[in-house]
Amino acid sequence: MDTAVENKKKATRKKTNKPKYNKETYLNWYELMLRIRRFEERALMAYGQQKIRGFCHVYIGQEAVSAGIESALKPGDAIVTAYRQHGIALGRGVSAKAAMAELYGKKTGIVKGKGGSMHFFFAENKYFGGNGIVGAQIPIGTGIGFAEKYKGTDNLCVTMFGDGAARQGALHESFNMAMSWKLPVLYICENNGYAMGTSVGRTTNVADIYKLGLGYDMPSEQVDGMSPESVHEAVAKAAKHIRAGKGPYFLEIQTYRYKGHSVSDPAKYRTKEEVESYKEKDPIKVTEKGIIANKIATSQEINKIKEKVKAEIEEAVTFAENSDFPDPSGLYEDNYMQKDYPFIKD
Amino acid sequence: MARELALRDALNEAMSEEMRRDETVFLMGEEVAEYNGAYKVSKGMLDEFGPRRVIDTPIAELGFTGIGVGAAMNGLRPIIEFMTWNFAVLAFDQIVNNAAKTLSQSGGQFKCPIVFRGPSGAAGQLAQQHSQTFESWMGNVPGLKVISCIDPADAKGLLKSAIRDDDPICVMESELLYGYKGEVPEGEYLVPIGVARVRKEGTDVTIVSYNKMVLTALEAAEELAKEGISAEVIDLRTIRPLDYGTVVNSVKKTNRLVVVDEAWPFAGVSAEVAYEIQKYAFDYLDAPVTRVNSADTSLGYAPTFVEEYLPNPAKVIKAVKEVMYIKG
């Protein structure tokens, strides 16, 4: 069976109706997911206007993953992920202004125009970045967790990657050492069904990605990624296990991207019906419906959030538009910590 | 006061001293702990520092190098040992794409203070995959620094500087010369990164080299002295950033340059030094810059191949005579 269809079935199966968390939690999830969605829509528009260049991989459809992870973590925990990372960064507290300005390549961007779409970093909230080499962040996240254990903290590192990266050798080397050394690492595979244009089933005999953890005796589970509730629950459970000193945990979170791999991808490798079927389970719509139906908040409160987010994103675009590009001499900054490094300039 | 120490013991002292002074420094690699190091560089360190800080890894270069990079980004100072730089090729993604670029792509938010170390270069009849040099490869990458030095005293001081440095540094040693002895000062000292050293002063020709080829150059210089030719021998010690000033000043005095470089000839350290000299000492040159490299081939196993492949004193002497227009 096609993996994407299979994912959809599982996503449907785990749908929850009764509210389990307080009002603040639901509204925070809703607001963050909406912020990510509106940010990405506006980024796509700016890309079309050629104001954003380079590669641009948007997170539309996957918002519930970021929302559910963030609500289940505590301050001090770290996150590292791959290049589809605007949503993760916003979840980590990167402002829409600093994120949009980065996409515009402006010096007010979160990394001063040095990273662009694939490389946001935010040291203050322990966001170790968007990594552009598929799977390279898996050992790095393992090392971030290693350092936490070495320092004797109870922090963990959420190490995220896609279904494509799950086939890199780096994953197996990391899983092995993390289990062997009982490192505080929560591995999360965001399985959106496609490694660029290649569906999961076309590159493997083991389409259930969570099973890759089982070979190392790592606790491993599949999670519905279209619901912030299910993501939160799974992450909270895993974090408890990790903080108890029992070592790493692996979650395969099944999600879906509505857009192509990157802006330049028309996504002809999948059917319109498949995409539409996921949009019916849209995490933002479903969460909004649940909030209203269960009387968690009023439609006025929801509208207020919508307006707030809309204004925030517009402000971010204005900020990005009005900011300056970095001075060309900045090219020589941040290559070395050594301030007087003798660059070859002839 | 100085005493005689083998290169491996000088390196051991450098790591141990730095681990005593800084709790965030740790050593990780294949066979570094219980086996005491494949070449005994880390002998006794497990006993002193324990398994938390001297860590045996599985054979997974990409994985443990990436773990080192992540740990460095998160506040530690890892020393990653490669049994040989030939195996580090499996980890180049982490060295080149991450360690070297973390500071830049994070806009200065995350530094990566990490040392990657191990032997580089041919070490007998080890054939194609175990005989390569990596100074030029790593030296090509902005964001990295590269040290390549076999003098025990200098290597110790340089490794200590590297461990304290806030940038990622590749340290190239030599399998053949871990037992090579030299005078090493007692007590605390550092050798600055990026400064070459004149190992033998001379007036007629400059021979620039690094790592174990420095010994080849010195041997050639001794032979040349018997023929009345005075060669100045410079040990680069650091490949990136390269100390061009010392080389240029020497060439201004001798007017002739031979580069002895175990790397392959194409786009390597020898080519880089030659470029800088034609640029900054062109008017001082009395002959074209000449170089002695390993052959532009893979290295085969048989002893005849090794002899043909590597630079040796005879080849260096021939090159010196060439730039001095001496026949025979």
Side-chain angles (χ1 to χ4, degrees), chain A residues 78 110-112 114-115 119-124 126-152 169-170 173-174 176-178 181 183 331 333-338 341-344 346, chain B residues 23-26 28 52-53 55-64 66-71 73-76 93-94 97-98 100 102-112 141-145 165-167 240-242 244 272 275-276 279-280:
Chain A
I110 187 67
V111 292
K112 304 188 288 193
K114 289 235 164 166
H119 310 294
F120 297 176
F121 288 77
F122 192 32
E124 203 180 308
K126 293 178 87 165
Y127 179 48
F128 285 81
N131 199 301
I133 307 296
V134 178
Q137 76 281 9
I138 304 174
I140 290 178
T142 309
I144 293 165
F146 173 93
E148 294 298 343
K149 181 169 178 162
Y150 188 96
K151 292 186 269 190
E173 297 186 15
S174 300
N176 183 47
M177 282 181 272
W181 300 338
L183 300 181
L331 193 60
E333 288 164 13
D334 302 325
N335 289 275
Y336 290 94
M337 290 296 289
Q338 182 186 340
Y341 183 86
F343 292 98
I344 297 172
D346 62 357
Chain B
E23 171 73 18
T24 66
V25 180
F26 68 94
M28 177 184 271
R52 174 172 164 265
R53 298 180 70 194
I55 304 159
D56 279 328
T57 66
I59 300 171
E61 283 83 5
L62 175 62
F64 70 72
I67 287 174
V69 171
M73 290 174 74
N74 198 14
L76 303 184
D93 175 48
Q94 288 298 340
N97 282 325
N98 290 303
T102 286
L103 187 68
S104 175
Q105 66 190 8
S106 70
Q109 292 187 55
F110 287 98
K111 62 181 179 182
C112 191
V141 182
L144 298 178
K145 294 175 181 172
D165 201 282
D166 278 338
D167 290 311
R240 183 182 184 101
L242 203 141
Y244 298 108
E272 176 60 26
Y275 168 81
E276 287 289 327
K279 177 92 179 177
Y280 292 104

Side-chain angles (χ1 to χ4, degrees), chain B residues 65-84:
Chain B
T65 303
I67 287 174
V69 171
M73 290 174 74
N74 198 14
L76 303 184
R77 290 185 175 274
I79 304 169
I80 303 295
E81 176 173 311
F82 296 119
M83 200 177 291
T84 141

Side-chain angles (χ1 to χ4, degrees), chain B:
Chain B
M1 274 293 288
R3 64 256 135 91
E4 278 237 310
L5 273 190
L7 175 62
R8 65 162 59 83
D9 299 323
L11 296 168
N12 181 303
E13 277 194 359
M15 292 192 287
S16 299
E17 286 173 18
E18 293 308 303
M19 283 177 67
R20 279 174 213 132
R21 102 178 246 286
D22 183 350
E23 171 73 18
T24 66
V25 180
F26 68 94
L27 172 67
M28 177 184 271
E30 293 155 5
E31 309 290 4
V32 298
E34 294 197 7
Y35 195 83
N36 279 309
Y39 295 102
K40 306 301 171 206
V41 175
S42 55
K43 192 174 175 187
M45 288 178 66
L46 174 65
D47 289 342
E48 179 175 354
F49 299 103
R52 174 172 164 265
R53 298 180 70 194
V54 181
I55 304 159
D56 279 328
T57 66
I59 300 171
E61 283 83 5
L62 175 62
F64 70 72
T65 303
I67 287 174
V69 171
M73 290 174 74
N74 198 14
L76 303 184
R77 290 185 175 274
I79 304 169
I80 303 295
E81 176 173 311
F82 296 119
M83 200 177 291
T84 141
W85 271 93
N86 295 285
F87 303 164
V89 176
L90 286 144
F92 275 10
D93 175 48
Q94 288 298 340
I95 301 173
V96 173
N97 282 325
N98 290 303
K101 293 171 177 59
T102 286
L103 187 68
S104 175
Q105 66 190 8
S106 70
Q109 292 187 55
F110 287 98
K111 62 181 179 182
C112 191
I114 187 168
V115 170
F116 307 106
R117 48 158 290 272
S120 167
Q125 290 175 251
L126 299 182
Q128 292 82 355
Q129 296 174 331
H130 286 70
S131 304
Q132 306 166 90
T133 66
F134 291 93
E135 287 83 354
S136 299
W137 287 59
M138 296 294 101
N140 192 241
V141 182
L144 298 178
K145 294 175 181 172
V146 180
I147 290 166
S148 183
C149 183
I150 50 82
D151 176 79
D154 287 355
K156 178 184 171 182
L158 280 162
L159 181 54
K160 281 167 70 77
S161 294
I163 294 167
R164 293 186 196 186
D165 201 282
D166 278 338
D167 290 311
I169 304 191
C170 301
V171 177
M172 315 273 177
E173 300 157 4
S174 168
E175 271 151 287
L176 284 183
L177 296 182
Y178 279 131
Y180 172 67
K181 287 185 175 167
E183 299 260 300
V184 176
E186 298 271 7
E188 176 72 29
Y189 71 96
L190 298 171
V191 172
I193 295 164
V195 181
R197 180 174 156 190
V198 177
R199 291 226 174 264
K200 178 188 168 301
E201 290 194 5
T203 51
D204 298 331
V205 60
T206 300
I207 305 175
V208 167
S209 193
Y210 61 94
N211 203 295
K212 69 172 173 285
M213 286 301 131
V214 169
L215 301 187
T216 302
L218 286 169
E219 212 180 305
E222 227 171 88
E223 287 301 311
L224 288 162
K226 291 176 192 163
E227 298 181 39
I229 298 168
S230 166
E232 179 146 304
V233 177
I234 295 174
D235 179 354
L236 291 173
R237 303 196 297 187
T238 300
I239 301 305
R240 183 182 184 101
L242 203 141
D243 177 6
Y244 298 108
T246 297
V247 183
V248 169
N249 287 339
S250 175
V251 171
K252 283 182 177 173
K253 180 174 72 176
T254 64
N255 312 114
R256 298 163 207 276
L257 175 64
V258 172
V259 186
V260 184
D261 178 3
E262 193 187 321
W264 291 306
F266 187 83
V269 173
S270 62
E272 176 60 26
V273 171
Y275 168 81
E276 287 289 327
I277 292 305
Q278 66 80 32
K279 177 92 179 177
Y280 292 104
F282 187 77
D283 290 337
Y284 294 89
L285 284 173
D286 285 344
V289 176
T290 295
R291 61 184 177 178
V292 182
N293 291 92
S294 286
D296 193 19
T297 65
S298 290
L299 176 53
Y301 166 72
T304 46
F305 292 148
V306 177
E307 179 64 23
E308 176 68 14
Y309 177 89
L310 284 174
N312 58 30
K315 293 177 188 176
V316 176
I317 290 165
K318 185 167 170 276
V320 165
K321 290 186 173 171
E322 205 177 295
V323 300
M324 296 191 70
Y325 302 109
I326 296 170
K327 285 187 183 152

Side-chain angles (χ1 to χ4, degrees), chain A residues 57-278:
Chain A
H57 315 84
V58 299
Y59 202 62
I60 294 176
Q62 302 185 204
E63 296 91 343
V65 183
S66 171
I69 289 173
E70 288 297 343
S71 60
L73 296 182
K74 70 169 185 60
D77 290 337
I79 294 190
V80 65
T81 188
Y83 46 83
R84 190 179 308 286
Q85 55 103 40
H86 308 162
I88 303 297
L90 291 171
R92 279 275 90 181
V94 172
S95 74
K97 282 164 82 173
M100 192 63 81
E102 188 58 38
L103 294 184
Y104 273 67
K106 299 299 179 70
K107 69 178 183 187
T108 52
I110 187 67
V111 292
K112 304 188 288 193
K114 289 235 164 166
S117 167
M118 295 185 286
H119 310 294
F120 297 176
F121 288 77
F122 192 32
E124 203 180 308
N125 286 358
K126 293 178 87 165
Y127 179 48
F128 285 81
N131 199 301
I133 307 296
V134 178
Q137 76 281 9
I138 304 174
I140 290 178
T142 309
I144 293 165
F146 173 93
E148 294 298 343
K149 181 169 178 162
Y150 188 96
K151 292 186 269 190
T153 74
D154 70 341
N155 300 327
L156 56 85
C157 181
V158 176
T159 301
M160 304 178 71
F161 50 92
D163 46 278
R167 309 303 169 185
Q168 289 275 29
L171 174 132
H172 294 273
E173 297 186 15
S174 300
F175 276 18
N176 183 47
M177 282 181 272
M179 271 309 285
S180 178
W181 300 338
K182 300 288 175 281
L183 300 181
V185 183
L186 170 52
Y187 295 103
I188 290 185
C189 175
E190 286 184 276
N191 180 1
N192 65 17
Y194 295 89
M196 201 167 155
T198 304
S199 67
V200 168
R202 286 177 56 211
T203 52
T204 183
N205 192 40
V206 185
D208 283 327
I209 292 171
Y210 78 96
K211 288 180 182 166
L212 297 180
L214 302 178
Y216 299 93
D217 289 343
M218 194 187 299
S220 306
E221 288 164 24
Q222 249 167 357
V223 181
D224 169 18
M226 302 309 276
S227 146
E229 277 181 8
S230 341
V231 174
H232 174 99
E233 271 165 30
V235 172
K237 180 183 162 200
K240 199 175 163 194
H241 174 96
I242 294 165
R243 287 193 224 285
K246 295 178 186 168
Y249 210 101
F250 181 32
L251 300 176
E252 174 197 349
I253 299 186
Q254 298 183 316
T255 181
Y256 199 77
R257 59 168 151 82
Y258 298 173
K259 303 288 176 182
H261 167 71
S262 67
V263 172
S264 58
D265 170 22
K268 289 184 175 163
Y269 41 81
R270 57 189 191 182
T271 63
K272 208 177 162 189
E273 290 70 31
E274 181 183 303
V275 179
E276 289 309 315
S277 73
Y278 274 94

Side-chain angles (χ1 to χ4, degrees), chain A residues 26-82:
Chain A
Y26 282 99
L27 292 185
N28 281 347
W29 281 337
Y30 180 71
E31 183 176 324
L32 173 58
M33 292 194 295
L34 195 66
R35 179 181 297 118
I36 296 171
R37 179 71 55 92
R38 294 288 171 264
F39 179 91
E40 296 291 48
E41 287 167 353
R42 205 60 184 74
L44 284 174
M45 194 192 293
Y47 199 94
Q49 297 165 330
Q50 300 196 335
K51 288 176 174 169
I52 297 172
R53 312 301 296 256
F55 296 133
C56 189
H57 315 84
V58 299
Y59 202 62
I60 294 176
Q62 302 185 204
E63 296 91 343
V65 183
S66 171
I69 289 173
E70 288 297 343
S71 60
L73 296 182
K74 70 169 185 60
D77 290 337
I79 294 190
V80 65
T81 188

